[in-house]
Amino acid sequence: MTSNEFPFDISLTDVSKTYPLGLWKKKEAVRGVSFAVPRGEVVGLLGPNGSGKSTILKMSLGFIRPTAGEILVCGHPPSERQSRAFVGYLPENPRFQKFLSAKEVLFYYGTLCRLEKSELSKRVDELLDLVGLSDARAERIAGFSKGMVQRLAMAQALLSRPRILLFDEPMSGLDPLGRLELRRLIGRIHEEMPEATIFFSSHVLSDVEQLCASVILLSKGELKNFCRIDELLGGRSEAYEVTARGLPAEHSTTWGKRIRRSPLGETWSIEGTDELLAALNDLKTMGAQVVGVFSQRASLEQKLFGKTSVQEARTPEGVLL
């Protein structure tokens, strides 16, 4: 079967990886993991630190070899040079020579990719524009912020127009604005390269939920779940927050038995549109003033970890620790 005929860009079959720790001890970083990443999708590899995400990416790139099992990249083992021609890689902490400019960095890596000079010049301009670094093309890397370095590294990963993009914690260490810019950039890359597969690791639930078609959940080196996000989030009733003022004390206890009261004082969590309409009617009848109604779609965190109320699901950015 040729690489074009292979239906999955990355597949793992019963893969394990064990690291020796001294003479007698060993650490099993990945244990019996099997999954296949469909071609042309954005797939998130989700899990807390130490769950095996980076190990799986490094094995898929051929940087390290699995202790057991099989990995195929476009139908080829990662140890084969042919498999690497399909892949663009963004490491968690990219490093470039600080005395080089953004343009010089891309020209250097483009030369390593054996791109023709005439093609390379055009490609560098396209990528600097794509990642928002056109105005900084001549600036030295020494003056770049972490977000700018990440975007430059993403441009480097795109140089050879790879079929697979592997990003290891692309938003790691960025401030909220930097993470937002990177999320938008990954979304734009997927729009402009819909045939490419984007496979990235993260421990931030919101990044995966907003970008990915499917999610792979790892815990302690084992596969816990692999499913499409729309299927995971479907089937749950809409959740709402209602904020009201002036609810008379004589009604508060009775009404609170039917509607769960949140720790936010005058705010209540309500599930279901019918229940929302009934609650609003009740509040009006009791003389309360409704000052806000907010829709709260079931989050990825709620589905994966069974958190049922809006307040329980409100961990900052949904970070897995």
Side-chain angles (χ1 to χ4, degrees):
M1 181 179 290
T2 67
S3 59
N4 288 328
E5 295 170 338
F6 201 72
F8 302 105
D9 275 343
I10 302 172
S11 66
L12 281 72
T13 305
D14 202 22
V15 170
S16 297
K17 178 62 181 179
T18 301
Y19 293 102
L21 299 177
L23 186 59
W24 305 108
K25 295 182 180 180
K26 295 181 179 180
K27 177 184 177 181
E28 198 168 19
V30 175
R31 184 183 306 112
V33 170
S34 298
F35 62 79
V37 177
R39 182 174 299 173
E41 286 198 4
V42 182
V43 178
L45 185 61
L46 183 65
N49 293 329
S51 60
K53 304 186 302 295
S54 292
T55 299
I56 285 177
L57 290 181
K58 289 175 182 177
M59 289 191 293
S60 299
L61 288 159
F63 295 165
I64 57 177
R65 297 196 177 195
T67 306
E70 181 185 55
I71 301 177
L72 294 177
V73 178
C74 294
H76 303 278
S79 57
E80 292 184 3
R81 183 177 178 181
Q82 188 174 359
S83 73
R84 300 176 191 177
F86 296 104
V87 179
Y89 174 55
L90 170 65
E92 181 176 0
N93 295 300
R95 296 286 186 271
F96 301 110
Q97 295 289 349
K98 293 186 177 182
F99 59 83
L100 294 176
S101 67
K103 181 177 179 180
E104 288 169 340
V105 166
L106 294 185
F107 265 93
Y108 172 71
Y109 282 99
T111 302
L112 293 180
C113 293
R114 299 181 180 179
L115 298 180
E116 296 291 336
K117 286 187 177 181
S118 57
E119 178 189 1
L120 180 56
S121 180
K122 180 181 178 181
R123 184 65 176 156
V124 167
D125 289 340
E126 290 174 349
L127 291 175
L128 287 173
D129 180 63
L130 175 66
V131 302
L133 292 177
S134 291
D135 293 338
R137 59 189 295 116
E139 292 183 20
R140 303 301 173 189
I141 306 302
F144 276 25
S145 66
K146 181 174 175 58
M148 293 172 73
V149 171
Q150 291 289 89
R151 284 184 277 148
L152 179 61
M154 198 165 286
Q156 175 268 317
L158 292 165
L159 269 169
S160 62
R161 294 184 174 86
R163 201 169 86 184
I164 305 172
L165 293 167
L166 295 182
F167 300 153
D168 190 0
E169 298 277 3
M171 274 72 81
S172 177
L174 299 179
D175 59 31
L177 180 58
R179 293 225 327 270
L180 176 61
E181 290 175 346
L182 259 292
R183 281 203 301 261
R184 288 175 174 171
L185 178 55
I186 293 175
R188 184 178 173 188
I189 290 170
H190 182 55
E191 289 177 359
E192 297 192 7
M193 301 172 58
E195 72 286 351
T197 299
I198 302 176
F199 185 43
F200 75 93
S201 64
S202 179
H203 63 278
V204 181
L205 292 161
S206 60
D207 293 337
V208 173
E209 182 176 0
Q210 293 179 43
L211 288 169
C212 299
S214 301
V215 59
I216 298 168
L217 177 64
L218 296 176
S219 178
K220 297 180 180 179
E222 295 184 339
L223 178 67
K224 295 300 181 183
N225 204 343
F226 182 18
C227 59
R228 296 190 64 82
I229 287 183
D230 54 0
E231 295 174 357
L232 188 65
L233 297 181
R236 179 180 170 87
S237 60
E238 187 80 4
Y240 300 90
E241 279 189 352
V242 176
T243 300
R245 295 173 184 166
L247 180 64
E250 63 269 23
H251 295 302
S252 180
T253 302
T254 302
W255 198 64
K257 289 180 180 179
R258 188 169 64 82
I259 303 295
R260 177 167 48 195
R261 186 160 187 166
S262 77
L264 300 179
E266 296 180 318
T267 300
W268 288 267
S269 302
I270 299 172
E271 289 188 11
T273 304
D274 291 341
E275 191 67 22
L276 172 66
L277 294 175
L280 294 176
N281 185 63
D282 286 348
L283 288 168
K284 181 179 179 180
T285 301
M286 291 183 290
Q289 179 187 8
V290 177
V291 296
V293 178
F294 304 95
S295 176
Q296 299 287 336
R297 186 170 64 89
S299 70
L300 186 60
E301 182 180 12
Q302 288 171 283
K303 284 295 187 177
L304 289 175
F305 303 105
K307 297 185 177 182
T308 56
S309 74
V310 174
Q311 281 68 40
E312 286 176 317
R314 279 187 164 179
T315 55
E317 295 294 342
V319 177
L320 292 172
L321 301 176

